[in-house]
Amino acid sequence: MTPSAKPLAQQAYELRQAIRQQAHTGPTSGLATGTMQGNIVILPADWANEFLLYCQKNPVACPLIGVSEIGDYHLPDLGKDIDMRHDVPEYYVYRDGVKVESRANIADLWRDDLVVFVLGCSFSFENALSQAGLTPRNITEDVNVSMYETTIPTTPAGRFFGNTVVTMRPYTPKDAIRAIQITTRFPKAHGAPLHFGTPEDIGIKDLNQPDFGDPVSVKDGEVPVFWACGVTPQVAVRNAKPPFCITHAPGKMLVTDLLDTDLAVL
């Protein structure tokens, strides 16, 4: 059975197993297409309520699709045998708001007071775009998606605040309108774009210098289209300075068994 012929949940499970065994360490865009991918924030329980409120106040940038019990690294509602200590290709570790290391697993860092937050990811609507003939440039060029910190503020909650991070995919104006229509159906994957056209209007000075991820080509007649991104909480973590926090590395997500259509608005 070819990978594309396997049930999507099986593809997602096998990809997580490959990640757990460090056989796959790269970005997850374009993999297990049709399943929901998630951004990760792991915080001590005494910071969890503030971060939950931050997500609730910023549902476009931080659309929650799962929260663990305190100290539980399993998320059975999101997928078979998920183990949050191992099932992300790369983790970032923050101390007092400063990224101090990246690592392939966090087994030796796990604590009984940690809470896992899983936020929807724009990778989850890329399948719908591709099916409509609008395959994102990061997929066709086999690179990580371009991500930029903007001047668009989020709504603060407790100690969490900061500007919105966006992903960028270029399209012709006609295709951009179609992409807007398609992605609006996926609010748990950030939904419709926040902006398209002039990058400087949202504080982006150079498309060839993304803050995270890789640059992609923008062809003649195309405009950049910007969606909210689940890396936004990493800016908020940097500002809030919790004593300890773990996130995914940008572009390297948790792949769940949920289908992107399960969370679509028809």
Side-chain angles (χ1 to χ4, degrees):
M1 182 181 292
T2 63
S4 61
K6 294 178 181 178
L8 289 176
Q10 183 179 349
Q11 292 182 44
Y13 172 77
E14 291 180 357
L15 177 57
R16 288 196 301 274
Q17 291 298 305
I19 291 169
R20 190 177 302 187
Q21 296 161 15
Q22 298 179 32
H24 178 82
T25 59
T28 53
S29 175
L31 302 179
T33 54
T35 60
M36 177 68 73
Q37 298 196 23
N39 303 273
I40 303 302
V41 177
I42 303 173
L43 284 162
D46 57 355
W47 283 75
N49 284 340
E50 281 183 41
F51 184 73
L52 177 62
L53 182 60
Y54 180 75
C55 294
Q56 291 171 336
K57 287 187 172 185
N58 297 281
V60 176
C62 307
L64 277 173
I65 61 172
V67 182
S68 76
E69 298 290 337
I70 297 174
D72 191 353
Y73 46 78
H74 297 294
L75 290 162
D77 291 343
L78 297 186
K80 176 184 176 183
D81 189 35
I82 286 178
D83 185 334
M84 289 310 308
R85 302 170 301 173
H86 298 277
D87 291 355
V88 171
E90 184 180 1
Y91 299 85
Y92 281 177
V93 180
Y94 292 81
R95 296 188 185 277
D96 299 315
V98 177
K99 182 169 75 72
V100 294
E101 64 173 319
S102 64
R103 49 167 57 208
N105 73 75
I106 54 169
D108 61 332
L109 295 178
W110 189 262
R111 304 178 349 193
D112 290 340
D113 68 334
L114 295 179
V115 178
V116 180
F117 293 87
V118 184
L119 292 75
C121 172
S122 62
F123 289 175
S124 300
F125 61 54
E126 289 185 335
N127 181 51
L129 290 172
S130 297
Q131 289 182 334
L134 303 175
T135 303
R137 188 65 41 76
N138 52 290
I139 293 179
T140 61
E141 296 186 351
D142 194 26
V143 295
N144 201 352
V145 71
S146 303
M147 292 166 268
Y148 307 86
E149 186 173 346
T150 71
T151 52
I152 303 170
T154 59
T155 301
R159 289 164 283 189
F160 291 95
F161 68 97
N163 290 331
T164 304
V165 175
V166 294
T167 56
M168 188 279 290
R169 298 164 182 84
Y171 290 106
T172 64
K174 178 182 177 181
D175 286 345
I177 292 171
R178 182 63 180 141
I180 292 169
Q181 294 172 332
I182 291 169
T183 57
T184 298
R185 296 177 45 234
F186 296 91
K188 288 296 186 179
H190 304 297
L194 298 181
H195 180 74
F196 70 94
T198 309
E200 291 82 3
D201 289 349
I202 55 173
I204 299 171
K205 296 179 180 179
D206 186 353
L207 288 179
N208 291 316
Q209 297 292 325
D211 296 295
F212 313 94
D214 301 311
V216 298
S217 60
V218 180
K219 300 177 181 179
D220 290 343
E222 291 182 333
V223 296
V225 186
F226 300 95
W227 283 265
C229 175
V231 175
T232 300
Q234 296 187 24
V235 175
V237 165
R238 184 179 70 200
N239 293 333
K241 297 179 174 57
F244 182 70
C245 179
I246 298 169
T247 73
H248 66 293
K252 301 181 179 183
M253 309 297 176
L254 173 70
V255 179
T256 77
D257 291 354
L258 298 178
L259 302 184
D260 49 27
T261 52
D262 289 342
L263 298 178
V265 177
L266 301 177

